[in-house]
Amino acid sequence: MGLMGDRTTLLETGRFARRRTDVGSGVGTLGPAAPTEPAGPTEPTEAMDQAEQTEAEAEARHRAAAKTGDTAAASALGALLLRRGDLDGAEPHLRCATAEGDRAAANNLGVLLHQRGYGDEAAGWWRVAAVAGSAAAAHALGKHFRERGDEPAAEYWLRQSAEQGHASGAYALADLLEHRSDVGAERWLRAAAERGHREASYRLALTLERRARERLRPAGDPAGPALIEDAVHWYRQAAARGHRRAALHLGAILERRGELKEAGRWYLSSAKDGEAKAASALAFLLRDAGDEESAAVWWLRAAQDGDGSAANALGALHAARGEQQSAERWYRTAMDAGDVNGAYNLALLCAAQERDAQAEQWYRRAAYAGHREAANALAVLLLQAGDAAGAEPWFSKAAEAGSVDAAFNLGILYASRDDDGSALKWYERAASGGHTEAALQVAIACLRDGDERTAERHLRCSAGGGSVEAAYRLAMLLDARRPPAAPPALGEAQLRTEKTECELWYERAAEQGHVRAQVRAGMLAARRGDTEGAAGWYRQAAEAGSRSGAFNLGLLLVREGAEAEAVLWWKRAAGAGHGRAALRLALLAARSGELTEGQRWCARAVELGPAEVAERAAKLLDALHQELTA
């Protein structure tokens, strides 16, 4: 049929005029039995209140009234049959009511024709109803024009629908404007969301969250948290109406906030509705809470629905249990689901089993897909095989992608070539990413250049990250700055009970087995008068093979009267090359009258040094020789 005239002409003819009971949504009614207009071309609305009468009773009443020429009854009967799917039965009643000027019937007739595939004729009746004020028909007409690529016409009719308060019309208009990157899209998304449109609420929340992230990323814009709160509100609105992805996003925000219990509830709601990512996220929450069995159930459900991260988690779970074949199967499933971590984890599994050829194959697959840690691991594998030239580009690719381990490894590679400048550049990059050993290397370079302030900063970062050597070097740096202890006042003991910062760092390194730190910690403890603490540190160092620790432990034991044990430790120290321990043993032997033994230890002390020890030992050796030859 031809498209009818504009609204003014229609109103002048008296046809399709608004009735007194029309409401703001554009719904036309003639009484309680009249049908409401459908929200769109595929959703005819209900013809009557189901709470008052059954559908069968309503149909009988409408049929009886329609036979008497009641236009509203014919319209309601047509809508009822249309909703039931009886297109053949609905069409004559809707055409009859439309001929009598019923706006709702014109809209529903458009829906029926659209379902039959007569799009142009449907558009004609939607235009009739829309010009007469039907917001639902304007929405349907706007969608019709958009599907045919006529965006100006689509925007016109969708705007008519949206401005009349039609939620779906506002959402469709927002979608059209967003496609054009029009800033007005958000206004109509919000309008649709405020009228209860579920998808609009979700997309509005996505928009707000994205904008909040952009504002928070560079400098912590104070508007960011407010936008996040607004996003949370709309996610809640959509999730409460059953939007499973909104529930997933809401759960993720709550999880980041530490509100794990509520996050778990939303993940559960989304997972039950079939959202695989929510099932996987719920499983990780359960795993972190210690419920590994329940986590495995949800990971399995998510993995079977195609979630790669869940398949990876299942692989890791089986690998931890020693079930290598099951682990490999799930890693392959993750890989097939498009998760590059599947190939990387499969490579790790092969490497652990010393299947290096297969490990290299999977590392390469993950690395080519952009997995930076796989690129680094592949480079390490190549380097270990002697292929430094093949390893370097993979190290570079991984480092440029942000792998701090790869940056550190590049530093090592350049250092092995005596290219200290390039090595330092990569060490600095790795250190800025939190790599503790790289920070230590940067600190060592700074100490070599005399930049103690920068060195201290990097040593603190490295030591704080757990580097034992950095803790020891930091303690050495602080120790060297300490002013010499002033002599005690007359009658005052030279004791200090508090520990200095350098002693605390020595102890941190010593507790992790650093032998030189154990010796230094013992020396500082002895200086404070803590003989027991000093002996403990010296003994640990001595038992680990430290000759200085053994010598100092001997000194403490002699003070305590345990000379026999001290001799054992001095002998161990002298045997390891400690000249002072050899001199002490020579003095003890001479004092005991064991002149030949004394001569032997003197000769050993002269050999070991240092210079002042060798000089004293030589004098003692001469004296012993004279005594023996007298």
Side-chain angles (χ1 to χ4, degrees):
M1 60 169 285
L3 298 182
M4 300 182 67
D6 61 20
R7 178 172 178 168
T8 304
T9 305
L10 289 171
L11 289 176
E12 285 175 352
T13 64
R15 300 182 64 234
F16 294 94
R18 288 182 181 272
R19 293 169 174 83
R20 290 180 295 110
T21 53
D22 284 1
V23 294
S25 64
V27 176
T29 62
L30 281 174
T36 56
E37 297 180 20
T42 59
E43 300 178 1
T45 55
E46 295 189 2
M48 59 174 294
D49 188 348
Q50 295 283 336
E52 292 181 3
Q53 291 179 312
T54 65
E55 189 173 287
E57 293 172 338
E59 181 181 351
R61 181 162 55 83
H62 290 326
R63 284 190 183 279
K67 288 179 180 179
T68 65
D70 189 324
T71 301
S75 176
L77 178 59
L80 187 151
L81 295 171
L82 176 61
R83 184 177 63 250
R84 188 186 295 168
D86 183 2
L87 304 188
D88 291 335
E91 184 170 356
H93 295 291
L94 291 176
R95 287 192 180 277
C96 179
T98 299
E100 295 299 323
D102 188 276
R103 186 185 68 186
N107 182 46
N108 288 332
L109 180 57
V111 173
L112 184 149
L113 293 168
H114 181 272
Q115 291 183 13
R116 287 189 182 278
Y118 302 124
D120 290 337
E121 188 178 356
W125 289 114
W126 280 329
R127 179 185 286 271
V128 168
V131 169
S134 170
H139 166 238
L141 188 57
K143 290 187 68 176
H144 168 82
F145 281 120
R146 187 175 182 190
E147 287 169 0
R148 279 155 177 73
D150 188 351
E151 291 195 0
E155 181 180 352
Y156 173 80
W157 288 110
L158 290 175
R159 196 174 292 277
Q160 294 296 317
S161 176
E163 288 176 349
Q164 292 181 63
H166 195 277
S168 295
Y171 174 73
L173 176 60
D175 186 68
L176 177 64
L177 296 176
E178 190 174 71
H179 173 69
R180 299 177 185 170
S181 300
D182 191 314
V183 293
E186 186 177 329
R187 169 199 168 192
W188 291 110
L189 273 180
R190 189 176 292 274
E194 287 171 349
R195 291 176 175 85
H197 196 287
R198 187 179 71 174
E199 188 66 23
S201 298
Y202 170 64
R203 287 181 58 176
L204 175 61
L206 283 177
T207 300
L208 294 168
E209 185 180 11
R210 182 171 57 250
R211 195 190 316 153
R213 302 277 176 234
E214 291 170 354
R215 293 197 175 189
L216 288 170
R217 190 178 300 120
D221 190 326
L227 286 170
I228 286 288
E229 288 304 317
D230 202 8
V232 167
H233 168 75
W234 290 113
Y235 278 138
R236 284 187 190 278
Q237 294 297 314
R241 292 181 172 90
H243 197 295
R244 66 187 192 186
R245 293 199 62 80
L248 170 63
H249 282 268
L250 178 57
I253 292 176
L254 294 170
E255 183 180 358
R256 288 195 293 270
R257 289 178 175 178
E259 301 173 30
L260 303 184
K261 191 172 182 179
E262 187 178 359
R265 287 200 299 268
W266 286 113
Y267 283 149
L268 179 61
S269 172
S270 180
K272 285 182 175 179
D273 286 339
E275 182 59 51
K277 291 185 180 299
S280 181
L282 175 61
F284 281 108
L285 276 187
L286 291 168
R287 189 275 310 274
D288 293 342
D291 190 354
E292 195 173 82
E293 293 304 317
S294 296
V297 171
W298 285 105
W299 275 327
L300 178 60
R301 181 168 175 175
Q304 289 173 338
D305 287 339
D307 186 81
S309 64
N312 267 318
L314 281 174
L317 189 64
H318 285 290
R321 294 173 178 173
E323 300 165 356
Q324 303 300 324
Q325 289 185 343
S326 295
E328 184 170 338
R329 177 168 59 86
W330 282 113
Y331 287 147
R332 288 180 182 274
T333 300
M335 188 170 58
D336 293 341
D339 193 321
V340 69
N341 286 311
Y344 176 61
N345 289 333
L346 192 53
L348 291 176
L349 193 66
C350 293
Q353 297 171 352
E354 298 183 351
R355 294 152 57 191
D356 291 343
Q358 289 175 290
E360 181 180 342
Q361 171 193 348
W362 296 118
Y363 280 141
R364 282 189 185 277
R365 179 163 178 173
Y368 277 121
H371 196 293
R372 65 190 188 190
E373 297 309 327
N376 177 60
L378 174 61
V380 170
L381 205 62
L382 293 170
L383 193 61
Q384 290 172 344
D387 185 6
E392 184 176 349
W394 285 112
F395 277 139
S396 296
K397 184 175 182 179
E400 294 293 352
S403 170
V404 294
D405 287 333
F408 177 66
N409 289 335
L410 266 179
I412 294 175
L413 191 63
Y414 282 113
S416 69
R417 299 172 181 171
D418 296 324
D419 186 351
D420 294 338
S422 297
L424 181 58
K425 181 189 75 170
W426 287 109
Y427 284 146
E428 287 175 338
R429 178 178 290 198
S432 67
H435 197 288
T436 57
E437 293 305 314
L440 172 61
Q441 294 302 319
V442 174
I444 291 172
C446 291
L447 286 173
R448 187 171 57 242
D449 296 339
D451 186 357
E452 287 193 1
R453 179 173 298 180
T454 305
E456 180 182 348
R457 176 167 58 84
H458 284 289
L459 284 173
R460 288 187 182 278
C461 290
S462 183
S467 172
V468 179
E469 183 64 24
Y472 172 69
R473 288 178 179 268
L474 176 59
M476 290 279 287
L477 184 64
L478 298 173
D479 201 2
R481 293 177 183 170
R482 289 191 310 118
L490 185 63
E492 179 183 343
Q494 189 174 2
L495 296 177
R496 292 174 55 189
T497 56
E498 72 278 4
K499 295 179 181 180
T500 60
E501 186 185 6
C502 70
E503 184 176 355
L504 294 173
W505 283 112
Y506 278 135
E507 287 185 350
R508 178 180 290 194
E511 287 166 355
Q512 298 178 73
H514 196 290
V515 176
R516 287 174 295 170
Q518 290 168 346
V519 175
R520 294 296 301 176
M523 292 173 65
L524 293 183
R527 190 178 300 171
R528 288 188 293 105
D530 182 5
T531 304
E532 184 179 350
W537 288 121
Y538 288 149
R539 190 175 296 277
Q540 286 189 49
E543 289 174 347
S546 169
R547 61 189 186 183
S548 296
F551 175 70
N552 290 347
L553 178 58
L555 292 178
L556 283 184
L557 290 169
V558 166
R559 290 181 200 168
E560 298 295 323
E563 188 173 284
E565 187 181 355
V567 168
L568 294 175
W569 286 110
W570 280 339
K571 284 183 177 180
R572 180 181 290 192
H578 199 288
R580 293 183 190 279
L583 180 58
R584 287 279 178 171
L585 288 168
L587 290 169
L588 283 177
R591 192 181 307 142
S592 302
E594 300 174 1
L595 302 184
T596 303
E597 181 75 2
Q599 279 186 313
R600 187 171 67 84
W601 284 117
C602 280
R604 179 66 172 157
V606 170
E607 178 187 345
L608 295 174
E612 68 273 14
V613 170
E615 184 179 350
R616 289 180 60 191
K619 290 179 180 179
L620 179 58
L621 183 60
D622 287 342
L624 291 174
H625 179 71
Q626 292 174 10
E627 184 69 22
L628 284 170
T629 58

